[in-house]
Amino acid sequence: MSDTYAQRAARLDAGDELGKHREKFALDDTVYLDGNSLGALPAHVPGRMADVIAREWGELRIRSWDESGWWTAPERIGDRIAPLVGAAEGQIVVGDSTSVNVFKAVVAAARLADGGRDEILVDATTFPTDGYIAESAARMTGHRIVPVTPAELPGAVTDRTALALVNHVDFRTGRLHDLPGLTAVLHEAGALAVWDLCHSAGALPVGLDAHGVDLAVGCTYKYLNGGPGAPAYLYVAERHQAAFDSPLPGWNSHRDPFGMTPGYAAADGALRGRVGTPDILSTLALEAALDVWDGVRIEDVRAKSLALTDFFLECVRAYAPEGRVASVTPEAHAERGSQVALRCAEAPEVMAELIRRGVVGDLRRPDVLRFGFTPLYVSFADAERAARVLAEVLTEVPAGGATPGADTPTA
């Protein structure tokens, strides 16, 4: 059986056009299925950063704000991310963390909403920080938080709903939520749609402009491979930019930043999403990392992602001892992101042993094994090996023998 699936993997890899991009990454013999937490290092980034540090910072110093394009990096890089999430230029600005950008987006959406709307719907299954930030934004703006699951959202929207903050892909299960449908439901009720794209950007088509999304945020260190702590981004639809009122106005978003005037006058466009001096080293590492997307169609990435996750699930069903793991990731392609989450009673012990054997996924307590499939560098052979090693570990780890383990600080 192992040879059969291994041979299938080899045939699939031989016909995989995206497989040629694997050489753009610094990879070893590890099967790396944690790109949904931290993407692999693009091989050319260290050389680019050496130049940034030694020449742009070391030699040009402050001149690099102009001569090396540091000052315009947030919007320039935003325009490079735009096609990956289905946005036209001039609507995305890079900078700050996802959490900070969630705060900007939720407060700004609350201010944009029609008067009398005092409720903010929040994805009850969201990554916890989104909920924390939304609650703080609600206190600041005088709104009330209403937690709902994405499935419940259509029935929860009323004429009091100002906005909804929803995750495109659930970070635990890998479930893909209906961005077009839920956005339409919100708009029909006169509310705004704010989407968190952390687990979808770089893994599947998003279509921000096509589906009329109002605001969106996302990180860049997962499927976009920007590096640990890489800056996040904020999308403000062009139709909202003139009225976009950021709760964090800073000198970088001032119409005349070097005028140093005491009064604030907002810049035009998505630049209003800037706050303070950008983190240039991590920002330029992200810019270099985005080079791996040159010539890549996000539709092809999606097709391979679905093929990889289908194949992995098939291998798990064939290899794993019966009853030891169960997928909590939807089978339907329309409901699946680019990860597979398996429920396993012994998850902490199993994941620790998988990592020791060179298959790197991650854990969500108490009992979820997560495997992220990044199509630019994950192969079908990786998927087959991961399922085979998982089966070996499950055979050796006694059922009911796990003890609670520490989680990794990833989303």
Side-chain angles (χ1 to χ4, degrees):
M1 184 67 72
S2 175
D3 288 340
T4 300
Y5 283 103
Q7 290 170 358
R8 277 185 56 192
R11 288 195 298 272
L12 288 166
D13 283 329
D16 174 29
E17 284 296 314
L18 284 183
K20 64 187 179 184
H21 296 284
R22 186 178 172 95
E23 65 187 24
K24 298 179 180 179
F25 294 86
L27 301 170
D28 53 23
D29 292 334
T30 299
V31 174
Y32 189 65
L33 301 181
D34 210 3
N36 53 332
S37 287
L38 176 64
L41 171 69
H44 70 286
V45 169
R48 168 61 178 140
M49 294 314 296
D51 181 63
V52 169
I53 292 170
R55 183 179 62 83
E56 295 185 6
W57 179 14
E59 297 177 13
L60 296 177
R61 294 180 287 276
I62 201 167
R63 291 163 52 196
S64 276
W65 286 104
D66 290 323
E67 295 180 27
S68 301
W70 289 1
W71 184 258
T72 57
E75 57 267 32
R76 182 177 72 242
I77 301 170
D79 285 344
R80 293 193 65 183
I81 293 172
L84 299 176
V85 293
E89 292 184 354
Q91 299 179 99
I92 294 179
V93 64
V94 166
D96 305 310
S97 67
T98 307
S99 301
V100 171
N101 282 306
V102 167
F103 180 73
K104 296 177 201 172
V106 171
V107 173
R111 291 173 173 174
L112 283 166
D114 293 339
R117 294 178 177 268
D118 60 356
E119 292 183 349
I120 297 174
L121 305 186
V122 176
D123 183 349
T125 62
T126 188
F127 185 67
T129 293
D130 282 18
Y132 306 156
I133 295 292
E135 287 178 3
S136 178
R139 291 194 300 272
M140 177 179 173
T141 58
H143 287 65
R144 183 172 72 92
I145 289 290
V146 181
V148 295
T149 67
E152 296 168 337
L153 190 147
V157 181
T158 71
D159 59 3
R160 296 180 61 181
T161 304
L163 68 123
L165 171 63
V166 192
N167 278 255
H168 197 190
V169 175
D170 185 281
F171 79 102
R172 289 188 183 87
T173 67
R175 176 179 289 276
L176 173 64
H177 297 306
D178 182 8
L179 182 148
L182 294 179
T183 299
V185 165
L186 288 162
H187 287 174
E188 287 169 7
L192 279 76
V194 181
W195 286 89
D196 182 328
L197 309 179
C198 285
H199 287 268
S200 58
L204 52 92
V206 176
L208 292 178
D209 288 353
H211 303 306
V213 169
D214 299 292
L215 297 109
V217 301
C219 65
T220 61
Y221 49 79
K222 300 181 189 297
Y223 295 107
L224 297 181
N225 312 297
Y233 57 91
L234 171 69
Y235 164 88
V236 182
E238 184 177 11
R239 66 186 179 278
H240 292 309
Q241 289 177 3
F244 177 79
D245 184 7
S246 174
L248 296 172
W251 79 285
N252 260 233
S253 60
H254 197 286
R255 184 173 299 160
D256 182 15
F258 294 97
M260 304 296 173
T261 57
Y264 180 74
D268 293 331
L271 288 178
R272 293 185 178 199
R274 292 179 66 157
V275 183
T277 305
D279 182 338
I280 287 299
L281 296 184
S282 62
T283 298
L284 296 185
L286 165 63
E287 182 173 38
L290 291 171
D291 290 347
V292 302
W293 291 95
D294 291 346
V296 175
R297 295 176 67 252
I298 195 67
E299 293 79 9
D300 294 335
V301 170
R302 176 60 168 165
K304 182 178 176 182
S305 166
L306 292 171
L308 278 169
T309 48
D310 279 344
F311 183 64
F312 177 71
L313 284 167
E314 184 180 352
C315 290
V316 169
R317 285 191 288 266
Y319 292 163
E322 187 173 354
R324 295 296 300 279
V325 295
S327 176
V328 295
T329 300
E331 291 283 339
H333 286 181
E335 299 174 3
R336 187 193 310 168
S338 197
Q339 74 176 48
V340 172
L342 303 177
R343 179 156 286 127
C344 175
E346 301 76 33
E349 187 175 356
V350 169
M351 183 52 69
E353 185 58 30
L354 281 171
I355 292 171
R356 279 192 287 271
R357 299 187 188 194
V359 175
V360 179
D362 71 10
L363 169 72
R364 282 292 164 268
R365 293 202 309 257
D367 60 355
V368 172
L369 304 168
R370 289 198 324 171
F371 302 94
F373 290 82
T374 307
L376 289 186
Y377 57 79
V378 173
S379 68
F380 290 92
D382 289 335
E384 189 276 336
R385 178 181 160 194
R388 179 162 34 86
V389 175
L390 171 63
E392 294 169 358
V393 171
L394 290 170
T395 300
E396 297 172 17
V397 173
T403 57
D407 203 355
T408 52
T410 54

